[in-house]
Amino acid sequence: MTAIPLEPVLAGSPSVETDPRQDVAPRSARTVAPARIPLARIVSVELRKSFDTRSGFWLLASIGIASFLATAGVVLWAARDQLTYSTFTLAVGFPMAVILPVIAILSVTAEWTQRSGLTTFTLVPHRGRIVFAKAIVAISIAVASMLVAFVIGALGNLLAAALAGRDAVWDQGVATLAAIVLGNTLVVLIGFMLGVLIRNSTAAIVAYFVYAFVAPPLLELLAANQAWFHDLYPWVDPNVTQNLLFHGPLVGQQWLQLAVTTAVWLVAPLLVGLWTLQRSEVK
């Protein structure tokens, strides 16, 4: 038998035909990364989630209802010399300070207590973007609610003046109204911070009421009875300067006191809450 010599096949030999495109996947089979969801779309979804449930709808509706009731109460029972625009804005501002922070709290805690976070963080795994969108929605609702309250207060002032047979008293300017909006925004952000930090609806709401209605009188009592705490009081209690915002813009050192108390009571806990939120398990 005659042996048939075998020629070695060398790489690059012209006898071997290779298709340079054979290892390249077809264009239609390539995996294309999905486009990042725009922040505006996330904000619109979070805004819709704030009122597309029955409880959320009535909680937002209660803002307008409370504004009308507060305005009607001032018209019916306030003394004649107190029927001014500032009386109406202060009367409307009190229910706002209760309702708006609760809305901000529930917008965050619902992801954990109602288990909607399983869907939310699957569709958008970047939790920081979700939290940022919720903050935008909370601030937007606060500002819009205050603008509506100002309009209702103005109508109440005109009605009270007509019933009293005198000219309406407009004793608040744009700067004062802007300070009121800032004060309510800070109150809303406190509620938002508690929601991020605690992530439980009941506990966060209770913590807010302790912050807003229990701690202030205790700190005021301490300042009245302890001389060493008297000068520290406005630097420790954030409600001091926040309440002053409802009577007009702050002056001088009051702005610095507001910055210090906001950094201690709002910014620092919010950063801690954001850090733990990024690492918490959603069940």
Side-chain angles (χ1 to χ4, degrees):
M1 179 180 292
T2 306
I4 299 175
L6 298 177
E7 295 182 0
V9 179
L10 302 177
S13 173
S15 62
V16 180
E17 295 182 1
T18 58
D19 186 355
R21 297 172 298 175
Q22 64 182 357
D23 294 331
V24 180
R27 184 179 300 272
S28 59
R30 295 179 184 176
T31 302
V32 180
R36 194 179 192 185
I37 300 177
L39 180 62
R41 188 183 304 171
I42 300 176
V43 172
S44 65
V45 171
E46 292 299 329
L47 179 61
R48 187 168 65 250
K49 286 164 63 176
S50 299
F51 60 82
D52 62 354
T53 62
R54 186 176 301 175
S55 59
F57 170 79
W58 284 109
L59 192 58
L60 289 174
S62 64
I63 296 176
I65 296 173
S67 299
F68 275 109
L69 292 177
T71 301
V74 173
V75 173
L76 293 175
W77 295 301
R80 182 172 179 177
D81 58 343
Q82 296 180 351
L83 293 176
T84 62
Y85 188 50
S86 61
T87 303
F88 285 96
T89 56
L90 289 175
V92 171
F94 179 76
M96 292 288 181
V98 177
I99 299 174
L100 290 176
V102 173
I103 294 176
I105 289 172
L106 295 179
S107 69
V108 180
T109 58
E111 305 292 355
W112 276 262
T113 56
Q114 299 180 16
R115 303 184 67 182
S116 60
L118 294 173
T119 302
T120 300
F121 298 131
T122 299
L123 297 174
V124 184
H126 303 283
R127 298 186 185 183
R129 301 187 72 211
I130 296 294
V131 175
F132 184 53
K134 290 180 181 293
I136 294 176
V137 170
I139 295 174
S140 301
I141 291 177
V143 174
S145 300
M146 288 308 303
L147 294 179
V148 172
F150 290 155
V151 173
I152 295 175
L155 295 176
N157 193 29
L158 292 173
L159 177 61
L163 294 177
R166 60 178 181 81
D167 294 333
V169 179
W170 305 97
D171 54 348
Q172 287 183 324
V174 176
T176 302
L177 297 180
I180 294 175
V181 173
L182 176 59
N184 269 288
T185 302
L186 290 175
V187 170
V188 169
L189 289 177
I190 290 293
F192 180 80
M193 175 271 296
L194 292 173
V196 172
L197 183 64
I198 301 176
R199 296 187 294 279
N200 180 276
S201 300
T202 304
I205 292 175
V206 171
Y208 173 73
F209 282 115
V210 171
Y211 164 87
F213 302 108
V214 177
L218 294 178
L219 292 174
E220 185 177 4
L221 181 64
L222 181 63
N225 292 277
Q226 299 294 327
W228 63 270
F229 187 70
H230 183 270
D231 294 334
L232 293 176
Y233 177 50
W235 298 90
V236 174
D237 187 0
N239 290 280
V240 174
T241 47
Q242 287 180 9
N243 290 336
L244 290 176
L245 284 171
F246 291 93
H247 300 277
L250 304 181
V251 294
Q253 195 180 53
Q254 293 173 343
W255 285 110
L256 183 58
Q257 293 170 347
L258 178 64
V260 171
T261 54
T262 300
V264 173
W265 289 85
L266 174 60
V267 177
L270 181 59
L271 293 177
V272 174
L274 290 173
W275 184 82
T276 57
L277 183 144
Q278 295 285 351
R279 292 158 176 79
S280 63
E281 181 181 1
V282 181
K283 300 180 180 180

mmCIF file of all heavy atoms in Angstrom, residues 70-91 153-172:
data_model
loop_
_atom_site.group_PDB
_atom_site.id
_atom_site.type_symbol
_atom_site.label_atom_id
_atom_site.label_comp_id
_atom_site.label_asym_id
_atom_site.label_seq_id
_atom_site.Cartn_x
_atom_site.Cartn_y
_atom_site.Cartn_z
ATOM 1 N N ALA A 70 -60.661 75.856 57.465
ATOM 2 C CA ALA A 70 -59.913 76.852 58.245
ATOM 3 C C ALA A 70 -60.317 78.263 57.848
ATOM 4 O O ALA A 70 -60.476 79.145 58.707
ATOM 5 C CB ALA A 70 -58.415 76.655 58.040
ATOM 6 N N THR A 71 -60.497 78.493 56.553
ATOM 7 C CA THR A 71 -60.919 79.820 56.083
ATOM 8 C C THR A 71 -62.321 80.160 56.585
ATOM 9 O O THR A 71 -62.584 81.281 57.045
ATOM 10 C CB THR A 71 -60.880 79.868 54.546
ATOM 11 O OG1 THR A 71 -59.547 79.587 54.101
ATOM 12 C CG2 THR A 71 -61.301 81.230 54.036
ATOM 13 N N ALA A 72 -63.224 79.186 56.522
ATOM 14 C CA ALA A 72 -64.587 79.423 57.008
ATOM 15 C C ALA A 72 -64.591 79.693 58.507
ATOM 16 O O ALA A 72 -65.355 80.543 59.000
ATOM 17 C CB ALA A 72 -65.463 78.216 56.683
ATOM 18 N N GLY A 73 -63.723 78.992 59.248
ATOM 19 C CA GLY A 73 -63.648 79.228 60.682
ATOM 20 C C GLY A 73 -63.196 80.641 61.009
ATOM 21 O O GLY A 73 -63.717 81.271 61.943
ATOM 22 N N VAL A 74 -62.232 81.157 60.258
ATOM 23 C CA VAL A 74 -61.769 82.531 60.486
ATOM 24 C C VAL A 74 -62.877 83.526 60.163
ATOM 25 O O VAL A 74 -63.116 84.488 60.914
ATOM 26 C CB VAL A 74 -60.517 82.819 59.639
ATOM 27 C CG1 VAL A 74 -60.132 84.299 59.727
ATOM 28 C CG2 VAL A 74 -59.359 81.949 60.097
ATOM 29 N N VAL A 75 -63.595 83.313 59.060
ATOM 30 C CA VAL A 75 -64.673 84.223 58.666
ATOM 31 C C VAL A 75 -65.779 84.248 59.707
ATOM 32 O O VAL A 75 -66.331 85.304 60.048
ATOM 33 C CB VAL A 75 -65.236 83.823 57.284
ATOM 34 C CG1 VAL A 75 -66.478 84.653 56.943
ATOM 35 C CG2 VAL A 75 -64.183 83.999 56.204
ATOM 36 N N LEU A 76 -66.094 83.091 60.273
ATOM 37 C CA LEU A 76 -67.229 83.003 61.190
ATOM 38 C C LEU A 76 -66.894 83.452 62.609
ATOM 39 O O LEU A 76 -67.739 84.075 63.271
ATOM 40 C CB LEU A 76 -67.761 81.561 61.213
ATOM 41 C CG LEU A 76 -68.398 81.055 59.916
ATOM 42 C CD1 LEU A 76 -68.773 79.588 60.051
ATOM 43 C CD2 LEU A 76 -69.627 81.890 59.559
ATOM 44 N N TRP A 77 -65.685 83.147 63.082
ATOM 45 C CA TRP A 77 -65.433 83.321 64.513
ATOM 46 C C TRP A 77 -64.297 84.278 64.858
ATOM 47 O O TRP A 77 -64.142 84.628 66.030
ATOM 48 C CB TRP A 77 -65.131 81.959 65.142
ATOM 49 C CG TRP A 77 -66.324 81.051 65.087
ATOM 50 C CD1 TRP A 77 -67.558 81.275 65.634
ATOM 51 C CD2 TRP A 77 -66.400 79.780 64.445
ATOM 52 N NE1 TRP A 77 -68.403 80.221 65.377
ATOM 53 C CE2 TRP A 77 -67.715 79.281 64.648
ATOM 54 C CE3 TRP A 77 -65.497 79.003 63.718
ATOM 55 C CZ2 TRP A 77 -68.142 78.063 64.143
ATOM 56 C CZ3 TRP A 77 -65.926 77.780 63.227
ATOM 57 C CH2 TRP A 77 -67.224 77.322 63.434
ATOM 58 N N ALA A 78 -63.504 84.716 63.909
ATOM 59 C CA ALA A 78 -62.413 85.631 64.234
ATOM 60 C C ALA A 78 -62.950 87.023 64.554
ATOM 61 O O ALA A 78 -63.997 87.443 64.036
ATOM 62 C CB ALA A 78 -61.421 85.715 63.075
ATOM 63 N N ALA A 79 -62.244 87.706 65.448
ATOM 64 C CA ALA A 79 -62.638 89.081 65.773
ATOM 65 C C ALA A 79 -62.478 89.978 64.546
ATOM 66 O O ALA A 79 -61.656 89.719 63.664
ATOM 67 C CB ALA A 79 -61.787 89.611 66.924
ATOM 68 N N ARG A 80 -63.241 91.033 64.500
ATOM 69 C CA ARG A 80 -63.259 91.893 63.315
ATOM 70 C C ARG A 80 -61.897 92.503 63.048
ATOM 71 O O ARG A 80 -61.480 92.627 61.899
ATOM 72 C CB ARG A 80 -64.310 92.995 63.497
ATOM 73 C CG ARG A 80 -64.443 93.910 62.281
ATOM 74 C CD ARG A 80 -65.618 94.853 62.425
ATOM 75 N NE ARG A 80 -65.722 95.734 61.259
ATOM 76 C CZ ARG A 80 -66.685 96.632 61.078
ATOM 77 N NH1 ARG A 80 -67.641 96.745 62.005
ATOM 78 N NH2 ARG A 80 -66.699 97.382 60.008
ATOM 79 N N ASP A 81 -61.173 92.882 64.104
ATOM 80 C CA ASP A 81 -59.871 93.498 63.902
ATOM 81 C C ASP A 81 -58.797 92.478 63.509
ATOM 82 O O ASP A 81 -57.675 92.851 63.185
ATOM 83 C CB ASP A 81 -59.430 94.244 65.170
ATOM 84 C CG ASP A 81 -59.364 93.318 66.378
ATOM 85 O OD1 ASP A 81 -59.950 92.212 66.330
ATOM 86 O OD2 ASP A 81 -58.731 93.700 67.380
ATOM 87 N N GLN A 82 -59.129 91.188 63.544
ATOM 88 C CA GLN A 82 -58.184 90.147 63.152
ATOM 89 C C GLN A 82 -58.454 89.588 61.763
ATOM 90 O O GLN A 82 -57.767 88.657 61.328
ATOM 91 C CB GLN A 82 -58.229 88.993 64.161
ATOM 92 C CG GLN A 82 -57.772 89.385 65.552
ATOM 93 C CD GLN A 82 -57.839 88.218 66.521
ATOM 94 O OE1 GLN A 82 -58.382 87.160 66.210
ATOM 95 N NE2 GLN A 82 -57.286 88.419 67.715
ATOM 96 N N LEU A 83 -59.423 90.149 61.072
ATOM 97 C CA LEU A 83 -59.743 89.679 59.729
ATOM 98 C C LEU A 83 -58.761 90.289 58.729
ATOM 99 O O LEU A 83 -59.078 91.207 57.973
ATOM 100 C CB LEU A 83 -61.187 90.036 59.369
ATOM 101 C CG LEU A 83 -62.269 89.321 60.174
ATOM 102 C CD1 LEU A 83 -63.645 89.818 59.799
ATOM 103 C CD2 LEU A 83 -62.156 87.818 59.980
ATOM 104 N N THR A 84 -57.552 89.776 58.736
ATOM 105 C CA THR A 84 -56.513 90.201 57.805
ATOM 106 C C THR A 84 -56.018 88.979 57.037
ATOM 107 O O THR A 84 -56.280 87.829 57.396
ATOM 108 C CB THR A 84 -55.335 90.841 58.554
ATOM 109 O OG1 THR A 84 -54.742 89.868 59.425
ATOM 110 C CG2 THR A 84 -55.809 92.036 59.373
ATOM 111 N N TYR A 85 -55.265 89.233 55.966
ATOM 112 C CA TYR A 85 -54.781 88.136 55.139
ATOM 113 C C TYR A 85 -53.832 87.229 55.917
ATOM 114 O O TYR A 85 -53.826 86.010 55.722
ATOM 115 C CB TYR A 85 -54.090 88.704 53.900
ATOM 116 C CG TYR A 85 -53.717 87.648 52.889
ATOM 117 C CD1 TYR A 85 -54.644 86.705 52.458
ATOM 118 C CD2 TYR A 85 -52.435 87.589 52.356
ATOM 119 C CE1 TYR A 85 -54.314 85.740 51.530
ATOM 120 C CE2 TYR A 85 -52.089 86.623 51.422
ATOM 121 C CZ TYR A 85 -53.036 85.696 51.016
ATOM 122 O OH TYR A 85 -52.693 84.737 50.106
ATOM 123 N N SER A 86 -53.033 87.805 56.821
ATOM 124 C CA SER A 86 -52.105 86.985 57.597
ATOM 125 C C SER A 86 -52.848 86.008 58.502
ATOM 126 O O SER A 86 -52.387 84.881 58.735
ATOM 127 C CB SER A 86 -51.197 87.887 58.435
ATOM 128 O OG SER A 86 -51.955 88.668 59.347
ATOM 129 N N THR A 87 -54.005 86.395 59.017
ATOM 130 C CA THR A 87 -54.799 85.493 59.850
ATOM 131 C C THR A 87 -55.254 84.281 59.050
ATOM 132 O O THR A 87 -55.219 83.138 59.539
ATOM 133 C CB THR A 87 -56.015 86.235 60.424
ATOM 134 O OG1 THR A 87 -55.579 87.377 61.164
ATOM 135 C CG2 THR A 87 -56.820 85.322 61.336
ATOM 136 N N PHE A 88 -55.651 84.523 57.816
ATOM 137 C CA PHE A 88 -56.107 83.416 56.978
ATOM 138 C C PHE A 88 -54.951 82.481 56.609
ATOM 139 O O PHE A 88 -55.108 81.260 56.631
ATOM 140 C CB PHE A 88 -56.772 83.968 55.712
ATOM 141 C CG PHE A 88 -58.140 84.541 55.946
ATOM 142 C CD1 PHE A 88 -58.313 85.899 56.137
ATOM 143 C CD2 PHE A 88 -59.261 83.723 55.988
ATOM 144 C CE1 PHE A 88 -59.564 86.431 56.355
ATOM 145 C CE2 PHE A 88 -60.526 84.247 56.201
ATOM 146 C CZ PHE A 88 -60.674 85.610 56.388
ATOM 147 N N THR A 89 -53.803 83.026 56.261
ATOM 148 C CA THR A 89 -52.675 82.177 55.871
ATOM 149 C C THR A 89 -52.168 81.353 57.056
ATOM 150 O O THR A 89 -51.800 80.187 56.897
ATOM 151 C CB THR A 89 -51.533 83.019 55.297
ATOM 152 O OG1 THR A 89 -51.151 84.029 56.262
ATOM 153 C CG2 THR A 89 -51.947 83.689 54.002
ATOM 154 N N LEU A 90 -52.161 81.946 58.248
ATOM 155 C CA LEU A 90 -51.736 81.191 59.423
ATOM 156 C C LEU A 90 -52.742 80.094 59.770
ATOM 157 O O LEU A 90 -52.359 78.989 60.176
ATOM 158 C CB LEU A 90 -51.562 82.133 60.616
ATOM 159 C CG LEU A 90 -50.368 83.088 60.547
ATOM 160 C CD1 LEU A 90 -50.383 84.043 61.740
ATOM 161 C CD2 LEU A 90 -49.064 82.313 60.502
ATOM 162 N N ALA A 91 -54.035 80.389 59.620
ATOM 163 C CA ALA A 91 -55.057 79.389 59.911
ATOM 164 C C ALA A 91 -54.969 78.219 58.939
ATOM 165 O O ALA A 91 -55.115 77.057 59.323
ATOM 166 C CB ALA A 91 -56.447 80.025 59.849
ATOM 167 N N GLY A 153 -57.206 81.526 50.936
ATOM 168 C CA GLY A 153 -57.121 82.559 51.963
ATOM 169 C C GLY A 153 -57.460 83.938 51.433
ATOM 170 O O GLY A 153 -58.106 84.744 52.124
ATOM 171 N N ALA A 154 -57.045 84.229 50.200
ATOM 172 C CA ALA A 154 -57.368 85.530 49.600
ATOM 173 C C ALA A 154 -58.877 85.661 49.381
ATOM 174 O O ALA A 154 -59.464 86.731 49.644
ATOM 175 C CB ALA A 154 -56.626 85.681 48.281
ATOM 176 N N LEU A 155 -59.507 84.589 48.908
ATOM 177 C CA LEU A 155 -60.966 84.632 48.732
ATOM 178 C C LEU A 155 -61.669 84.809 50.071
ATOM 179 O O LEU A 155 -62.653 85.559 50.178
ATOM 180 C CB LEU A 155 -61.440 83.351 48.046
ATOM 181 C CG LEU A 155 -60.948 83.128 46.610
ATOM 182 C CD1 LEU A 155 -61.419 81.776 46.081
ATOM 183 C CD2 LEU A 155 -61.408 84.251 45.691
ATOM 184 N N GLY A 156 -61.173 84.127 51.111
ATOM 185 C CA GLY A 156 -61.751 84.303 52.433
ATOM 186 C C GLY A 156 -61.571 85.714 52.957
ATOM 187 O O GLY A 156 -62.475 86.269 53.606
ATOM 188 N N ASN A 157 -60.428 86.314 52.677
ATOM 189 C CA ASN A 157 -60.187 87.693 53.117
ATOM 190 C C ASN A 157 -61.138 88.657 52.435
ATOM 191 O O ASN A 157 -61.678 89.585 53.066
ATOM 192 C CB ASN A 157 -58.738 88.064 52.819
ATOM 193 C CG ASN A 157 -58.316 89.342 53.503
ATOM 194 O OD1 ASN A 157 -58.822 89.698 54.569
ATOM 195 N ND2 ASN A 157 -57.390 90.071 52.888
ATOM 196 N N LEU A 158 -61.379 88.447 51.139
ATOM 197 C CA LEU A 158 -62.319 89.307 50.414
ATOM 198 C C LEU A 158 -63.742 89.119 50.924
ATOM 199 O O LEU A 158 -64.493 90.096 51.084
ATOM 200 C CB LEU A 158 -62.249 89.001 48.918
ATOM 201 C CG LEU A 158 -60.945 89.379 48.200
ATOM 202 C CD1 LEU A 158 -60.959 88.855 46.771
ATOM 203 C CD2 LEU A 158 -60.730 90.888 48.221
ATOM 204 N N LEU A 159 -64.098 87.864 51.203
ATOM 205 C CA LEU A 159 -65.443 87.599 51.708
ATOM 206 C C LEU A 159 -65.640 88.206 53.094
ATOM 207 O O LEU A 159 -66.686 88.813 53.377
ATOM 208 C CB LEU A 159 -65.680 86.085 51.764
ATOM 209 C CG LEU A 159 -67.022 85.631 52.349
ATOM 210 C CD1 LEU A 159 -68.185 86.166 51.523
ATOM 211 C CD2 LEU A 159 -67.083 84.110 52.434
ATOM 212 N N ALA A 160 -64.642 88.066 53.965
ATOM 213 C CA ALA A 160 -64.753 88.627 55.312
ATOM 214 C C ALA A 160 -64.851 90.146 55.263
ATOM 215 O O ALA A 160 -65.617 90.755 56.027
ATOM 216 C CB ALA A 160 -63.546 88.205 56.143
ATOM 217 N N ALA A 161 -64.074 90.764 54.379
ATOM 218 C CA ALA A 161 -64.135 92.226 54.246
ATOM 219 C C ALA A 161 -65.501 92.678 53.744
ATOM 220 O O ALA A 161 -66.049 93.691 54.205
ATOM 221 C CB ALA A 161 -63.028 92.703 53.311
ATOM 222 N N ALA A 162 -66.082 91.922 52.808
ATOM 223 C CA ALA A 162 -67.403 92.285 52.289
ATOM 224 C C ALA A 162 -68.480 92.142 53.365
ATOM 225 O O ALA A 162 -69.366 92.995 53.488
ATOM 226 C CB ALA A 162 -67.737 91.403 51.085
ATOM 227 N N LEU A 163 -68.384 91.081 54.152
ATOM 228 C CA LEU A 163 -69.375 90.893 55.218
ATOM 229 C C LEU A 163 -69.229 91.939 56.311
ATOM 230 O O LEU A 163 -70.232 92.341 56.924
ATOM 231 C CB LEU A 163 -69.220 89.485 55.820
ATOM 232 C CG LEU A 163 -69.557 88.312 54.903
ATOM 233 C CD1 LEU A 163 -69.283 86.983 55.599
ATOM 234 C CD2 LEU A 163 -71.015 88.385 54.456
ATOM 235 N N ALA A 164 -67.979 92.382 56.555
ATOM 236 C CA ALA A 164 -67.745 93.394 57.587
ATOM 237 C C ALA A 164 -67.980 94.805 57.073
ATOM 238 O O ALA A 164 -67.986 95.754 57.862
ATOM 239 C CB ALA A 164 -66.320 93.266 58.123
ATOM 240 N N GLY A 165 -68.141 94.959 55.773
ATOM 241 C CA GLY A 165 -68.389 96.269 55.190
ATOM 242 C C GLY A 165 -67.180 97.183 55.216
ATOM 243 O O GLY A 165 -67.310 98.394 55.437
ATOM 244 N N ARG A 166 -65.991 96.636 54.994
ATOM 245 C CA ARG A 166 -64.778 97.441 54.967
ATOM 246 C C ARG A 166 -63.833 96.885 53.914
ATOM 247 O O ARG A 166 -64.098 95.850 53.290
ATOM 248 C CB ARG A 166 -64.094 97.434 56.331
ATOM 249 C CG ARG A 166 -63.688 96.047 56.814
ATOM 250 C CD ARG A 166 -62.974 96.116 58.143
ATOM 251 N NE ARG A 166 -62.561 94.810 58.622
ATOM 252 C CZ ARG A 166 -61.463 94.160 58.219
ATOM 253 N NH1 ARG A 166 -60.664 94.728 57.297
ATOM 254 N NH2 ARG A 166 -61.153 92.973 58.698
ATOM 255 N N ASP A 167 -62.728 97.588 53.702
ATOM 256 C CA ASP A 167 -61.743 97.147 52.722
ATOM 257 C C ASP A 167 -60.929 95.973 53.285
ATOM 258 O O ASP A 167 -60.673 95.894 54.495
ATOM 259 C CB ASP A 167 -60.794 98.294 52.360
ATOM 260 C CG ASP A 167 -61.513 99.425 51.638
ATOM 261 O OD1 ASP A 167 -62.543 99.132 50.986
ATOM 262 O OD2 ASP A 167 -61.054 100.581 51.739
ATOM 263 N N ALA A 168 -60.534 95.093 52.401
ATOM 264 C CA ALA A 168 -59.711 93.944 52.800
ATOM 265 C C ALA A 168 -58.317 94.418 53.187
ATOM 266 O O ALA A 168 -57.764 95.351 52.588
ATOM 267 C CB ALA A 168 -59.621 92.941 51.650
ATOM 268 N N VAL A 169 -57.753 93.787 54.204
ATOM 269 C CA VAL A 169 -56.421 94.129 54.706
ATOM 270 C C VAL A 169 -55.428 93.106 54.173
ATOM 271 O O VAL A 169 -55.504 91.915 54.509
ATOM 272 C CB VAL A 169 -56.385 94.149 56.246
ATOM 273 C CG1 VAL A 169 -54.984 94.477 56.740
ATOM 274 C CG2 VAL A 169 -57.414 95.139 56.786
ATOM 275 N N TRP A 170 -54.477 93.586 53.345
ATOM 276 C CA TRP A 170 -53.445 92.718 52.774
ATOM 277 C C TRP A 170 -52.129 93.060 53.465
ATOM 278 O O TRP A 170 -51.409 93.945 53.049
ATOM 279 C CB TRP A 170 -53.340 92.918 51.273
ATOM 280 C CG TRP A 170 -54.652 92.737 50.560
ATOM 281 C CD1 TRP A 170 -55.501 93.717 50.184
ATOM 282 C CD2 TRP A 170 -55.253 91.496 50.194
ATOM 283 N NE1 TRP A 170 -56.617 93.179 49.581
ATOM 284 C CE2 TRP A 170 -56.487 91.808 49.571
ATOM 285 C CE3 TRP A 170 -54.878 90.162 50.323
ATOM 286 C CZ2 TRP A 170 -57.340 90.817 49.087
ATOM 287 C CZ3 TRP A 170 -55.728 89.184 49.843
ATOM 288 C CH2 TRP A 170 -56.939 89.507 49.224
ATOM 289 N N ASP A 171 -51.848 92.353 54.547
ATOM 290 C CA ASP A 171 -50.689 92.685 55.374
ATOM 291 C C ASP A 171 -49.512 91.730 55.163
ATOM 292 O O ASP A 171 -48.629 91.645 56.011
ATOM 293 C CB ASP A 171 -51.076 92.699 56.849
ATOM 294 C CG ASP A 171 -51.730 91.401 57.292
ATOM 295 O OD1 ASP A 171 -52.087 90.585 56.426
ATOM 296 O OD2 ASP A 171 -51.884 91.199 58.514
ATOM 297 N N GLN A 172 -49.506 91.002 54.065
ATOM 298 C CA GLN A 172 -48.394 90.104 53.750
ATOM 299 C C GLN A 172 -47.962 90.323 52.309
ATOM 300 O O GLN A 172 -48.801 90.355 51.397
ATOM 301 C CB GLN A 172 -48.779 88.632 53.963
ATOM 302 C CG GLN A 172 -48.899 88.236 55.427
ATOM 303 C CD GLN A 172 -49.219 86.762 55.589
ATOM 304 O OE1 GLN A 172 -49.954 86.184 54.815
ATOM 305 N NE2 GLN A 172 -48.653 86.145 56.620
#
